[in-house]
Amino acid sequence: MRSENSELDPPGSGRLAHAPVDHPAVPRKKVGVLLANLGTPDATDYWSMRRYLSEFLSDKRVVDYSAWLWQPLLQLVILTRRPFKSGEAYRGIWNTEKDESPLLTTTRDQTRKIAEGLHEAYGDDVVVDFCMRYGNPSTDSVLRRMQAQGCEKILFFPLYPQYAGPTTATANDQVFRTLMTLKWQPSLRTVPAYFEHPDYLEALSNSVREAYSAAESTPDVLVASYHGVPKRYLMEGDPYHCQCQKTTRLLKERLGWRDEEIVTTFQSKFGPEEWVGPATVDHVAELARQGKKHIAVVSPAFSSDCVETLEEINEEIKDSFEAAGGETFTYIPCLNDRDDHIAALLTIIRNELGGWL
């Protein structure tokens, strides 16, 4: 029986058996899995931060104000000051050994483990790589590299458990922009939100149980802190807020807890309009004033620890709790490259690859 790549002569040569000698080389057909995360600056200096923030805050999915109003404010006011503050935040969490952000380090580790798992099942028929929506490695460069490696079918996986326009949708937008420029487009599938997948919830609940077991005292409340969005997005049909609420409910049920033992909050408010709430930074202070001396915080919307968790939660939000009288603050790390998290992602990937392999 001839394999799908048997038209190459000899196999693996890249030369089609019945093509003229000057025909461009054709790589062996493969299936690609492209993981996508939010992004990272290349460094923490002013200009690196400015380039990254300009790309991020110029995205209409993130800030959807009219360009004529927003861009002058962004370029002439916000980006003259914000890169200094953001650079300082990144320097506090920077992976100095590898000279990169923790998000980049973790996403690479996740990709390596997923590649190993898929290689065990499918051998060299699958190529696994990762990209960033903002910064490097860019979606465009990685998608083109995968196509050059023979990936005629690509599964695109934005690593966001809950769907949101400023995360999942903009990641998909970016990969489609590259497809629009290609002479030969690979077939593409996108992975949907997986916030209610039982394996994801099991990994999330395992991380909470382990943190509670390791704590010297049992936290009074678990704060499930999600990245915020303007309330207008909810009213316009974005399902993110509802999916976050459901994630918390499903986590509570899996843990077997009472309603008062876990609360949903939102962080990282930006700009003047009303955002979904309650705001994490304010609510943890209120918990302290209510007499809650020990709280734990988990971030179910982030697949990898990043500046919003390592700096904002573990520093700014922690400070707010302690300033209001709180005593013990336990941050539960993101799922990162935990084995149960990788196993959950592999299960989702294998399901989405159905019919291709």
Side-chain angles (χ1 to χ4, degrees), residues 161-162 195-196 200-201 204-205 208 221-226 240-266 278 298-301:
Q162 300 82 15
F195 67 98
E196 54 188 347
Y200 159 72
L201 291 167
L204 187 62
S205 61
V208 173
V221 178
L222 175 64
V223 178
S225 180
Y226 301 82
Y240 176 71
H241 179 267
C242 298
Q243 291 183 3
C244 292
Q245 296 286 355
K246 188 171 183 180
T247 301
T248 301
R249 176 175 63 80
L250 294 174
L251 175 61
K252 179 199 69 175
E253 293 171 357
R254 189 165 286 261
L255 291 169
W257 287 2
R258 303 184 304 274
D259 289 349
E260 60 269 22
E261 293 179 280
I262 187 170
V263 62
T264 298
T265 64
F266 297 88
V298 68
S299 302

Side-chain angles (χ1 to χ4, degrees), residues 283-351:
H283 195 73
V284 297
E286 179 59 29
L287 289 173
R289 288 190 287 269
Q290 292 173 4
K292 310 298 184 184
K293 297 301 183 182
H294 184 184
I295 66 169
V297 180
V298 68
S299 302
F302 296 94
S303 62
S304 307
D305 274 307
C306 55
V307 71
E308 284 85 357
T309 62
L310 298 175
E311 195 278 335
E312 184 178 358
I313 289 180
N314 223 6
E315 295 185 24
E316 178 186 348
I317 290 169
K318 178 182 179 181
D319 290 346
S320 176
F321 175 67
E322 293 177 344
E327 296 177 357
T328 306
F329 184 96
T330 299
Y331 171 63
I332 302 174
C334 292
L335 295 179
N336 296 321
D337 64 341
R338 289 172 54 104
D339 288 344
D340 49 6
H341 185 216
I342 298 300
L345 298 178
L346 281 168
T347 298
I348 294 167
I349 289 169
R350 291 190 187 102
N351 180 68

Side-chain angles (χ1 to χ4, degrees), residues 102-173:
L103 177 67
L104 180 56
T105 303
T106 301
T107 306
R108 184 187 296 108
D109 291 342
Q110 291 170 329
T111 302
R112 175 179 53 80
K113 289 188 174 183
I114 288 172
E116 290 170 355
L118 291 176
H119 186 269
E120 289 179 7
Y122 306 113
D124 295 331
D125 289 334
V126 177
V127 173
V128 183
D129 213 330
F130 73 94
C131 65
M132 297 293 175
R133 170 60 184 90
Y134 314 104
N136 295 303
S138 69
T139 303
D140 180 83
S141 65
V142 179
L143 183 62
R144 291 177 185 275
R145 180 170 68 230
M146 294 181 77
Q147 187 184 46
Q149 292 174 289
C151 296
E152 296 185 6
K153 300 173 182 177
I154 295 177
L155 178 68
F156 185 66
F157 194 169
L159 292 174
Y160 309 110
Q162 300 82 15
Y163 174 96
T167 54
T168 310
T170 190
N172 290 339
D173 289 346

Side-chain angles (χ1 to χ4, degrees), residues 16-123:
L16 294 171
H18 304 290
V21 294
D22 61 347
H23 192 284
V26 178
R28 186 169 69 86
K29 295 179 182 177
K30 300 182 182 70
V31 171
V33 176
L34 179 52
L35 309 174
N37 219 320
L38 182 71
T40 173
D42 295 324
T44 62
D45 62 276
Y46 172 83
W47 290 108
S48 295
M49 292 304 311
R50 181 172 179 126
R51 283 193 301 272
Y52 172 72
L53 291 171
S54 180
E55 183 181 11
F56 174 48
L57 296 175
S58 294
D59 185 352
K60 294 286 286 185
R61 290 280 193 181
V62 175
V63 181
D64 60 358
Y65 302 149
S66 298
W68 67 268
L69 174 67
W70 174 242
Q71 280 299 318
L73 177 63
L74 174 64
Q75 300 298 331
L76 300 177
V77 179
I78 296 173
L79 291 181
T80 60
R81 301 191 304 265
R82 191 175 177 91
F84 292 108
K85 181 178 180 181
S86 296
E88 181 181 359
Y90 269 96
R91 280 190 290 276
I93 64 167
W94 201 250
N95 183 342
T96 54
E97 180 181 349
K98 295 186 176 181
D99 192 23
E100 63 187 26
S101 73
L103 177 67
L104 180 56
T105 303
T106 301
T107 306
R108 184 187 296 108
D109 291 342
Q110 291 170 329
T111 302
R112 175 179 53 80
K113 289 188 174 183
I114 288 172
E116 290 170 355
L118 291 176
H119 186 269
E120 289 179 7
Y122 306 113

